Amino acid sequence: MTKSEKVTFVINTLNELYPEIPIPLDHKDPYTLLIAVLLSAQCTDVRVNQITPLLFAKADNPYDMVKMSVEEIKEIIRPCGLSPMKSKGIHGLSEILIEKHNGQVPQSFEALEALPAVGHKTASVVMSQAFGVPAFPVDTHIHRLMYRWGLTNGKNVQQTEKDAKRIFPEECWNELHLQIIWYGREYSPARGWNLEKDIITRTIGRKSVINEIKK
């Protein structure tokens, strides 16, 4: 298969498997999505979805969030890990949203990445899922699968994002990054991987990866 044929195969297979694409993190607006994505760093989406209702019951907007202390936020979000850094980030970005953005989540990568504890991946998720702006946030699932499929060299997530944006049509990005995440969880996990169930890797996968799993 040529690379363009591989890309077409990936898109068509994922569209068949996931015609409806659920958003992994529960939220009701751009602010609650931003907080949920921030909490998801080095934490499972399942755990985040268990914790955010507790946090949002007290504060689901920046004005209520700044009324809480960093310590109060930290106690609620502790199960998500990295709570000292995340609680400071949540409180700090809420203050900035009020001071600089009229309490609204800004709709630009530059403004989002200027917020405390908000990196490029978090900004990409918010731009994509909250505002519909084409973006390709790369998490561990996407990074792993793009390498397994021979579509990137796997050096780092920045390179994987560049390669994904180069080879996949822009109009597919917002749906495709979610489809790849779901596929990675269901069919091509890091552990307990069954190549027979993983039709995409089985069909177009990097030879060295397939040979290694078959040993």
Side-chain angles (χ1 to χ4, degrees):
M1 266 195 211
T2 64
K3 184 161 274 191
S4 64
E5 287 171 337
K6 287 182 176 183
V7 167
T8 300
F9 177 75
V10 168
I11 292 171
N12 290 343
T13 303
L14 292 174
N15 281 337
E16 284 177 23
L17 288 171
Y18 305 104
E20 301 284 326
I21 312 159
I23 303 274
L25 293 168
D26 297 337
H27 66 284
K28 65 175 185 176
D29 56 22
Y31 179 76
T32 52
L33 176 62
L34 174 60
I35 301 304
V37 179
L38 189 155
L39 289 174
S40 72
Q42 296 184 36
C43 179
T44 66
D45 292 346
V46 172
R47 175 63 57 85
V48 173
N49 288 337
Q50 291 169 343
I51 298 304
T52 47
L54 306 176
L55 179 63
F56 296 152
K58 290 181 175 288
D60 62 359
N61 62 80
Y63 296 96
D64 288 334
M65 195 67 76
V66 296
K67 293 175 185 174
M68 298 175 68
S69 68
V70 172
E71 195 61 36
E72 287 175 304
I73 298 170
K74 185 168 77 173
E75 281 305 308
I76 295 171
I77 68 169
R78 191 182 298 279
C80 291
L82 305 177
S83 57
M85 180 198 75
K86 290 177 181 178
S87 56
K88 286 178 186 173
I90 290 169
H91 197 276
L93 72 81
S94 298
E95 289 181 323
I96 293 172
L97 292 181
I98 293 168
E99 291 167 8
K100 294 187 176 180
H101 303 287
N102 297 315
Q104 301 298 308
V105 176
Q107 297 187 35
S108 80
F109 284 96
E110 186 180 19
L112 283 167
E113 290 178 36
L115 297 171
V118 176
H120 179 66
K121 183 198 156 208
T122 297
S124 295
V125 174
V126 173
M127 291 296 286
S128 167
Q129 296 176 14
F131 302 126
V133 175
F136 211 106
V138 173
D139 73 346
T140 54
H141 297 288
I142 294 173
H143 187 52
R144 179 177 68 253
L145 268 57
M146 287 283 289
Y147 179 77
R148 283 182 177 175
W149 297 343
L151 301 178
T152 189
N153 61 24
K155 282 183 180 175
N156 52 55
V157 292
Q158 291 81 12
Q159 186 60 49
T160 298
E161 181 182 341
K162 282 182 187 173
D163 291 336
K165 286 180 170 179
R166 181 172 49 80
I167 64 177
F168 291 118
E170 187 174 320
E171 63 270 18
C172 296
W173 291 357
N174 287 357
E175 291 186 346
L176 195 63
H177 85 266
L178 288 171
Q179 290 171 320
I180 295 175
I181 289 170
W182 286 112
Y183 185 88
R185 290 175 178 177
E186 293 190 55
Y187 298 100
S188 194
R191 298 181 185 85
W193 180 28
N194 183 340
L195 187 61
E196 288 306 305
K197 293 180 180 178
D198 184 353
I199 184 173
I200 297 180
T201 307
R202 204 171 72 235
T203 306
I204 67 163
R206 189 183 290 270
K207 283 188 173 63
S208 60
V209 170
I210 292 174
N211 291 338
E212 186 64 30
I213 194 74
K214 285 182 175 177
K215 280 183 182 177

